[in-house]
Amino acid sequence: MKVQVIAEQCQGHNRCALSAPELFEIDDLGYASAKGDGVVPPGLEAKARLAAANCPEQAVVVEE
Amino acid sequence: MSTVEQVTDVATDYDIFDPGYVVEPYPVWAALRQRCPVAHTDRWGGSWLPTRYDDVVAFARDVEHFSSESVTVTPAIEGVPGIPADIKAPPITSDPPEHHWARRLILPVFAPQAVARYEPYTRELCASLAAEIAARGAGDGAAQYAQYIPVRVISKMLGVDESMADDFTGWIRGALEFGLTDPKAQEAAFLSIFNFLTAEIATRQAAIAAGTAGDDIISYLLQQTVDGEPVLVDHVLGTCVLILVAGIDTTWSSIGSAIWHLATHPEDRRRLVADPSLVPVAVEELLRAYSPVTMARLATSDVEFAGCPISKGDRILMSFPAANRDPEQFEDPDTVIIDREVNRHVAFGVGIHRCAGSNLARMELRIAVEEWLKAIPECALAEDDETTWAGGQVRGPRHLPIVITGGAAK
Ligand code: HEM
Ligand code: SF4
């Protein structure tokens, strides 16, 4: 599984990093990106889906 | 334009200042979503009111047809004597392309890492306020707790003396809570804020020139450039007015509603006391269920929306609070599920104007709840005294009498 943030859609709500701090990082302006290559370590799949479900901009994409 | 005239049909004649609606808006939204999801009224200068999640989000995202030129829920006063007419409140009153750089300017001071700096101060403040109430055995969760917190945190960020906090509180209430139905009160409030910040800016400019600039937001903004040019002082002034007006009663309303919930829902309260690690998720649910802020837009042209003929210049009230109770988006929306995980709420708006202060507000709310629960694990509403609510642009309790109850209470 992989997560990705669509940069043009992200408005910096920070819900992804709050839902799954292991998977997302926030830059100095408050915008998010996937940590590393975005590959979701085993066991964190549910958190990845939660991050996508909670992003008000629907900017988090989960590739199953 | 009178609040005493009875509302007979909310679909064509809703009144956002109706005392019953302010206290209990939920049944009105539920009825409107079914019957007339974009309602209209002629009251208070006239407006449209979407109540479905998807519609509110669509209005917020369509910045081409719906401008932020005026974002108050009633028409703003037409200029205040003594304040230059070109002073706006960027970025909240900006449309693209100005919005982009006006927002970019303030984002660094409100990023999660930046606001974390103020966490120890916020915690100390909340702990000492809660300890005072605990020691007295009773207190006002709104006027003696919630209302004290954001104003002091913002004062600290702006580098303004804490003794100004009570003046700020009065001005902010004059600007939005009383001001939207009382133009005189609003004029006086804005003039006080303007004069105060003008003097603060002059002091900071002198310090910057002398090489002794502080690390507060005002000094920071004065030293920024856009496309190589220094930011205009009037722009800095407008942004500081916005930070004051947008950052204080919004957050205290939200903290107040959270305390009201804790006082009236013992099971939720005890669950959070037993497991404080649930607080961050609970905070999102409280933000959803008791969203304080409604924002407006003005239509830039005649446009049809969901079958409604919206005319150029019409005001649209984006009820984020109503969106957050839409059953199409949230299961069992009128129940607070304190550990609700899936929660795409829009309490902080959505799209390009997403609340720039959301990381700060969330931090304050989390700490205010944590420290309250530590000092006051058992409490209830005072029996012979009544909670009062303010509504309109910002909804939350203004008077919230609470008594501390015995730990063993069932
Ligand atoms: C619980 C507390 C708060 C709530 C519910 C809230 C809500 C909102 C909402 C709904 C918007 C969107 C406005 C629009 O679409 O027109 C907004 C914008 C804004 N808020 Fe907040 N707010 C809160 C606290 C704060 C704080 C603490 C600050 C800063 C000190 C702040 C500063 C701002 C600013 C600067 C904007 C304008 C952003 C832009 O237009 O790009 N807010 N807020
Ligand atoms: S929740 Fe969505 S909008 Fe918010 S920071 Fe994450 S990706 Fe960006």
Side-chain angles (χ1 to χ4, degrees), chain B residues 68 71 91-92 99 103 106 110 154 242-243 246-247 250-251 254 287 292-293 295 297 318 320 347-349 352-357 360-361 364:
Chain B
S68 288
V71 287
I92 216 165
H99 176 266
R103 179 177 171 87
I106 59 170
F110 293 115
I154 287 283
L242 169 62
I243 289 172
T250 49
T251 314
S254 176
L287 279 165
V293 177
M295 296 297 296
R297 294 289 187 267
M318 297 183 300
F320 298 116
F348 293 116
I352 65 168
H353 290 277
R354 183 272 304 172
C355 175
L360 175 64
E364 293 181 49

Side-chain angles (χ1 to χ4, degrees), chain A residues 4-6 9-17 24-26 30-33 51 54-60, chain B residues 354:
Chain A
Q4 196 193 325
V5 174
I6 308 170
Q9 240 160 283
C10 173
Q11 296 292 350
H13 289 261
N14 195 18
R15 295 292 305 284
C16 54
F24 299 91
E25 57 197 1
I26 303 289
Y31 294 111
S33 57
N54 283 344
C55 172
E57 310 294 343
Q58 314 213 11
V60 174
Chain B
R354 183 272 304 172

Side-chain angles (χ1 to χ4, degrees), chain B residues 270-281 366 370 373-374:
Chain B
R270 285 171 198 155
R271 231 182 124 187
L272 295 175
V273 169
D275 182 4
S277 74
L278 272 179
V279 171
V281 169
R366 173 172 54 81
E370 285 172 0
L373 291 173
K374 269 191 225 165

Side-chain angles (χ1 to χ4, degrees), chain B residues 49-136:
Chain B
L49 179 69
T51 45
R52 287 184 182 166
Y53 184 96
D54 287 346
D55 290 343
V56 172
V57 168
F59 275 114
R61 291 223 168 101
D62 187 350
V63 295
E64 188 190 329
H65 292 103
F66 305 105
S67 163
S68 288
E69 181 191 332
S70 171
V71 287
T72 44
V73 296
T74 63
I77 40 177
E78 289 283 334
V80 177
I83 303 184
D86 54 354
I87 302 231
K88 301 272 192 313
I92 216 165
T93 50
S94 316
D95 290 320
E98 178 192 79
H99 176 266
H100 180 74
W101 63 260
R103 179 177 171 87
R104 167 74 182 71
L105 213 52
I106 59 170
L107 285 178
V109 291
F110 293 115
Q113 310 85 313
V115 304
R117 250 176 81 195
Y118 300 94
E119 207 175 304
Y121 171 78
T122 308
R123 192 174 292 286
E124 220 172 282
L125 173 65
C126 293
S128 80
L129 292 168
E132 271 175 49
I133 295 176
R136 278 198 306 273

